[in-house]
PDB file of all heavy atoms in Angstrom:
ATOM      1  N   GLU B 120     -36.132  -7.344 -71.730  1.00  0.00           N
ATOM      2  CA  GLU B 120     -37.326  -6.599 -71.186  1.00  0.00           C
ATOM      3  C   GLU B 120     -38.549  -7.526 -71.111  1.00  0.00           C
ATOM      4  O   GLU B 120     -38.840  -8.256 -72.111  1.00  0.00           O
ATOM      5  CB  GLU B 120     -37.628  -5.353 -72.074  1.00  0.00           C
ATOM      6  CG  GLU B 120     -36.759  -4.159 -71.811  1.00  0.00           C
ATOM      7  CD  GLU B 120     -35.300  -4.362 -72.291  1.00  0.00           C
ATOM      8  OE1 GLU B 120     -35.003  -5.378 -72.989  1.00  0.00           O
ATOM      9  OE2 GLU B 120     -34.448  -3.546 -71.992  1.00  0.00           O
ATOM     10  N   ALA B 121     -39.230  -7.449 -70.074  1.00  0.00           N
ATOM     11  CA  ALA B 121     -40.340  -8.362 -69.811  1.00  0.00           C
ATOM     12  C   ALA B 121     -41.503  -8.142 -70.737  1.00  0.00           C
ATOM     13  O   ALA B 121     -42.404  -9.043 -70.841  1.00  0.00           O
ATOM     14  CB  ALA B 121     -40.703  -8.327 -68.371  1.00  0.00           C
ATOM     15  N   HIS B 122     -41.634  -7.016 -71.335  1.00  0.00           N
ATOM     16  CA  HIS B 122     -42.831  -6.761 -72.150  1.00  0.00           C
ATOM     17  C   HIS B 122     -42.645  -7.189 -73.621  1.00  0.00           C
ATOM     18  O   HIS B 122     -43.467  -6.742 -74.465  1.00  0.00           O
ATOM     19  CB  HIS B 122     -43.206  -5.269 -72.056  1.00  0.00           C
ATOM     20  CG  HIS B 122     -42.125  -4.363 -72.488  1.00  0.00           C
ATOM     21  ND1 HIS B 122     -41.081  -3.917 -71.586  1.00  0.00           N
ATOM     22  CD2 HIS B 122     -41.789  -3.843 -73.681  1.00  0.00           C
ATOM     23  CE1 HIS B 122     -40.236  -3.217 -72.252  1.00  0.00           C
ATOM     24  NE2 HIS B 122     -40.623  -3.092 -73.503  1.00  0.00           N
ATOM     25  N   MET B 123     -41.593  -7.960 -73.904  1.00  0.00           N
ATOM     26  CA  MET B 123     -41.405  -8.435 -75.267  1.00  0.00           C
ATOM     27  C   MET B 123     -42.616  -9.074 -75.864  1.00  0.00           C
ATOM     28  O   MET B 123     -42.907  -8.875 -77.056  1.00  0.00           O
ATOM     29  CB  MET B 123     -40.193  -9.402 -75.340  1.00  0.00           C
ATOM     30  CG  MET B 123     -38.857  -8.671 -75.438  1.00  0.00           C
ATOM     31  SD  MET B 123     -38.718  -7.723 -76.996  1.00  0.00           S
ATOM     32  CE  MET B 123     -37.632  -6.367 -76.469  1.00  0.00           C
ATOM     33  N   PRO B 124     -43.371  -9.900 -75.113  1.00  0.00           N
ATOM     34  CA  PRO B 124     -44.549 -10.515 -75.728  1.00  0.00           C
ATOM     35  C   PRO B 124     -45.558  -9.436 -76.266  1.00  0.00           C
ATOM     36  O   PRO B 124     -46.207  -9.726 -77.280  1.00  0.00           O
ATOM     37  CB  PRO B 124     -45.167 -11.329 -74.570  1.00  0.00           C
ATOM     38  CG  PRO B 124     -44.048 -11.627 -73.708  1.00  0.00           C
ATOM     39  CD  PRO B 124     -43.114 -10.418 -73.727  1.00  0.00           C
ATOM     40  N   LEU B 125     -45.580  -8.281 -75.598  1.00  0.00           N
ATOM     41  CA  LEU B 125     -46.440  -7.249 -76.104  1.00  0.00           C
ATOM     42  C   LEU B 125     -45.965  -6.783 -77.512  1.00  0.00           C
ATOM     43  O   LEU B 125     -46.776  -6.602 -78.482  1.00  0.00           O
ATOM     44  CB  LEU B 125     -46.505  -6.070 -75.138  1.00  0.00           C
ATOM     45  CG  LEU B 125     -47.333  -4.873 -75.543  1.00  0.00           C
ATOM     46  CD1 LEU B 125     -48.820  -5.265 -75.497  1.00  0.00           C
ATOM     47  CD2 LEU B 125     -47.149  -3.704 -74.574  1.00  0.00           C
ATOM     48  N   LEU B 126     -44.629  -6.563 -77.632  1.00  0.00           N
ATOM     49  CA  LEU B 126     -44.101  -6.192 -78.931  1.00  0.00           C
ATOM     50  C   LEU B 126     -44.356  -7.303 -80.006  1.00  0.00           C
ATOM     51  O   LEU B 126     -44.634  -7.004 -81.143  1.00  0.00           O
ATOM     52  CB  LEU B 126     -42.619  -5.865 -78.764  1.00  0.00           C
ATOM     53  CG  LEU B 126     -42.260  -4.767 -77.769  1.00  0.00           C
ATOM     54  CD1 LEU B 126     -40.780  -4.449 -77.836  1.00  0.00           C
ATOM     55  CD2 LEU B 126     -43.104  -3.503 -77.983  1.00  0.00           C
ATOM     56  N   LEU B 127     -44.236  -8.470 -79.542  1.00  0.00           N
ATOM     57  CA  LEU B 127     -44.525  -9.660 -80.441  1.00  0.00           C
ATOM     58  C   LEU B 127     -45.946  -9.527 -81.003  1.00  0.00           C
ATOM     59  O   LEU B 127     -46.174  -9.635 -82.216  1.00  0.00           O
ATOM     60  CB  LEU B 127     -44.359 -10.944 -79.634  1.00  0.00           C
ATOM     61  CG  LEU B 127     -44.851 -12.258 -80.287  1.00  0.00           C
ATOM     62  CD1 LEU B 127     -43.870 -12.703 -81.358  1.00  0.00           C
ATOM     63  CD2 LEU B 127     -44.992 -13.361 -79.236  1.00  0.00           C
ATOM     64  N   VAL B 128     -46.911  -9.303 -80.123  1.00  0.00           N
ATOM     65  CA  VAL B 128     -48.280  -9.176 -80.547  1.00  0.00           C
ATOM     66  C   VAL B 128     -48.448  -8.009 -81.531  1.00  0.00           C
ATOM     67  O   VAL B 128     -49.090  -8.112 -82.583  1.00  0.00           O
ATOM     68  CB  VAL B 128     -49.272  -8.996 -79.362  1.00  0.00           C
ATOM     69  CG1 VAL B 128     -50.688  -8.796 -79.869  1.00  0.00           C
ATOM     70  CG2 VAL B 128     -49.170 -10.195 -78.472  1.00  0.00           C
ATOM     71  N   ILE B 129     -47.819  -6.894 -81.128  1.00  0.00           N
ATOM     72  CA  ILE B 129     -47.950  -5.726 -81.989  1.00  0.00           C
ATOM     73  C   ILE B 129     -47.371  -5.877 -83.335  1.00  0.00           C
ATOM     74  O   ILE B 129     -47.900  -5.399 -84.356  1.00  0.00           O
ATOM     75  CB  ILE B 129     -47.356  -4.478 -81.241  1.00  0.00           C
ATOM     76  CG1 ILE B 129     -48.380  -4.049 -80.180  1.00  0.00           C
ATOM     77  CG2 ILE B 129     -47.006  -3.315 -82.162  1.00  0.00           C
ATOM     78  CD1 ILE B 129     -47.807  -3.202 -79.119  1.00  0.00           C
ATOM     79  N   LEU B 130     -46.274  -6.603 -83.420  1.00  0.00           N
ATOM     80  CA  LEU B 130     -45.613  -6.814 -84.761  1.00  0.00           C
ATOM     81  C   LEU B 130     -46.382  -7.744 -85.657  1.00  0.00           C
ATOM     82  O   LEU B 130     -46.142  -7.813 -86.858  1.00  0.00           O
ATOM     83  CB  LEU B 130     -44.225  -7.373 -84.524  1.00  0.00           C
ATOM     84  CG  LEU B 130     -43.078  -6.348 -84.606  1.00  0.00           C
ATOM     85  CD1 LEU B 130     -41.774  -6.995 -84.241  1.00  0.00           C
ATOM     86  CD2 LEU B 130     -43.011  -5.676 -85.941  1.00  0.00           C
ATOM     87  N   GLU B 131     -47.330  -8.487 -85.126  1.00  0.00           N
ATOM     88  CA  GLU B 131     -48.020  -9.462 -85.949  1.00  0.00           C
ATOM     89  C   GLU B 131     -48.842  -8.733 -87.043  1.00  0.00           C
ATOM     90  O   GLU B 131     -48.982  -9.207 -88.148  1.00  0.00           O
ATOM     91  CB  GLU B 131     -49.043 -10.303 -85.124  1.00  0.00           C
ATOM     92  CG  GLU B 131     -48.369 -11.215 -84.093  1.00  0.00           C
ATOM     93  CD  GLU B 131     -48.532 -12.703 -84.494  1.00  0.00           C
ATOM     94  OE1 GLU B 131     -48.915 -12.941 -85.665  1.00  0.00           O
ATOM     95  OE2 GLU B 131     -48.352 -13.564 -83.634  1.00  0.00           O
ATOM     96  N   VAL B 132     -49.443  -7.594 -86.657  1.00  0.00           N
ATOM     97  CA  VAL B 132     -50.501  -7.019 -87.430  1.00  0.00           C
ATOM     98  C   VAL B 132     -50.104  -6.110 -88.620  1.00  0.00           C
ATOM     99  O   VAL B 132     -50.593  -6.325 -89.734  1.00  0.00           O
ATOM    100  CB  VAL B 132     -51.500  -6.327 -86.496  1.00  0.00           C
ATOM    101  CG1 VAL B 132     -52.609  -5.636 -87.307  1.00  0.00           C
ATOM    102  CG2 VAL B 132     -52.122  -7.289 -85.459  1.00  0.00           C
ATOM    103  N   PRO B 133     -49.247  -5.125 -88.415  1.00  0.00           N
ATOM    104  CA  PRO B 133     -49.114  -4.065 -89.439  1.00  0.00           C
ATOM    105  C   PRO B 133     -48.723  -4.683 -90.830  1.00  0.00           C
ATOM    106  O   PRO B 133     -49.198  -4.217 -91.856  1.00  0.00           O
ATOM    107  CB  PRO B 133     -47.996  -3.148 -88.926  1.00  0.00           C
ATOM    108  CG  PRO B 133     -47.976  -3.428 -87.473  1.00  0.00           C
ATOM    109  CD  PRO B 133     -48.400  -4.811 -87.215  1.00  0.00           C
ATOM    110  N   ALA B 134     -47.812  -5.660 -90.786  1.00  0.00           N
ATOM    111  CA  ALA B 134     -47.319  -6.229 -92.046  1.00  0.00           C
ATOM    112  C   ALA B 134     -48.492  -6.827 -92.876  1.00  0.00           C
ATOM    113  O   ALA B 134     -48.459  -6.792 -94.093  1.00  0.00           O
ATOM    114  CB  ALA B 134     -46.254  -7.286 -91.816  1.00  0.00           C
ATOM    115  N   ILE B 135     -49.445  -7.358 -92.220  1.00  0.00           N
ATOM    116  CA  ILE B 135     -50.594  -7.959 -92.899  1.00  0.00           C
ATOM    117  C   ILE B 135     -51.352  -6.869 -93.661  1.00  0.00           C
ATOM    118  O   ILE B 135     -51.646  -7.017 -94.896  1.00  0.00           O
ATOM    119  CB  ILE B 135     -51.567  -8.667 -91.950  1.00  0.00           C
ATOM    120  CG1 ILE B 135     -50.838  -9.776 -91.173  1.00  0.00           C
ATOM    121  CG2 ILE B 135     -52.753  -9.239 -92.715  1.00  0.00           C
ATOM    122  CD1 ILE B 135     -51.676 -10.526 -90.164  1.00  0.00           C
ATOM    123  N   ILE B 136     -51.539  -5.709 -93.029  1.00  0.00           N
ATOM    124  CA  ILE B 136     -52.271  -4.603 -93.666  1.00  0.00           C
ATOM    125  C   ILE B 136     -51.487  -4.113 -94.860  1.00  0.00           C
ATOM    126  O   ILE B 136     -52.017  -3.927 -95.937  1.00  0.00           O
ATOM    127  CB  ILE B 136     -52.473  -3.488 -92.643  1.00  0.00           C
ATOM    128  CG1 ILE B 136     -53.433  -4.066 -91.457  1.00  0.00           C
ATOM    129  CG2 ILE B 136     -53.106  -2.309 -93.249  1.00  0.00           C
ATOM    130  CD1 ILE B 136     -53.462  -3.188 -90.279  1.00  0.00           C
ATOM    131  N   VAL B 137     -50.190  -3.916 -94.652  1.00  0.00           N
ATOM    132  CA  VAL B 137     -49.353  -3.466 -95.734  1.00  0.00           C
ATOM    133  C   VAL B 137     -49.391  -4.455 -96.905  1.00  0.00           C
ATOM    134  O   VAL B 137     -49.509  -4.127 -98.086  1.00  0.00           O
ATOM    135  CB  VAL B 137     -47.874  -3.249 -95.288  1.00  0.00           C
ATOM    136  CG1 VAL B 137     -46.985  -2.870 -96.438  1.00  0.00           C
ATOM    137  CG2 VAL B 137     -47.858  -2.176 -94.224  1.00  0.00           C
TER     138      VAL B 137
END
Side-chain angles (χ1 to χ4, degrees):
Chain B
E120 280 71 9
H122 56 274
M123 276 297 149
L125 181 65
L126 302 186
L127 169 74
V128 177
I129 282 162
L130 262 175
E131 294 248 17
V132 176
I135 301 178
I136 297 166
V137 175

